[in-house]
Amino acid sequence: MGRCYSLDLRVRVAGFVEAGYSCHAAGQHFAVSESFAITLVRRTRDTGSPAPARQGRQRARMPIPPDVGAAIVSYLRNGRPTSPCRRLFLRTLAPHVGFASGCAITMVAKMALERAGISGYAHQGAHIFRHSLATELLRSGATLAEIGQLLRHESHDTTRIYAKVDIETLRTLSLPGPGAVQ
């Protein structure tokens, strides 16, 4: 399933086939490929949901800090374009629909960083915010295990990349070299 289709469309296609129509008819009716409809029907049968596979990403409910909650309320009241779409964040340009994929969020972050004149970092998209958070937590004394849990890393090896960022802490762990003062 190469293209990003909304969950709403996936539900409608799966329901159309479940109602007795063929995958070919569903493809024509909803302007999707027949192979998409076939794969979608198989996924729905196997998992019970037409939602796309999460490719290693996990869903988690996390508390929203009060200032973030206030910003979201302000956006909903004053900044969100009028749309029947139920997604929280929408495209600012018409059509006012939800973002097609996580890639769109990365592009928004990348453009914001460019406008702010921030460059020269290995991470140029939304990932820079995760990396910055982890680095700041490490400098504030958080353990790698705590950071890994917050970022929902499945492996400790993934979190260990942040250890190389905190050079001062690494120096306290190093042994003095030959002829060095202890």
Side-chain angles (χ1 to χ4, degrees), residues 43-163:
R43 176 174 291 136
T44 304
R45 183 191 63 226
D46 294 345
T47 67
S49 170
R54 296 301 296 173
Q55 297 182 357
R57 296 175 185 236
Q58 308 159 21
R59 289 184 181 227
R61 291 180 181 249
M62 309 231 4
I64 298 176
D67 58 332
V68 174
I72 290 172
V73 168
S74 175
Y75 166 73
L76 290 171
R77 289 184 178 156
N78 308 315
R80 186 178 186 272
T82 303
S83 172
C85 182
R86 296 188 46 82
R87 291 192 184 176
L88 177 60
F89 297 107
L90 306 177
R91 294 168 24 123
T92 55
L93 301 174
H96 300 299
V97 295
F99 296 112
S101 70
C103 298
I105 303 297
T106 295
M107 291 308 298
V108 168
K110 186 175 182 176
M111 290 186 327
L113 291 167
E114 287 173 2
R115 278 195 313 269
I118 298 172
S119 62
Y121 292 93
H123 305 288
Q124 292 296 317
H127 185 75
I128 194 172
F129 301 119
R130 288 175 58 87
H131 190 79
S132 297
L133 172 65
T135 302
E136 186 57 36
L137 289 169
L138 191 60
R139 288 184 179 142
S140 298
T143 66
L144 288 174
E146 292 167 335
I147 294 168
Q149 184 178 15
L150 178 66
L151 296 179
R152 299 186 321 274
H153 288 160
E154 291 183 10
S155 166
H156 295 295
D157 292 334
T158 307
T159 312
R160 281 191 202 135
I161 63 169
Y162 298 111

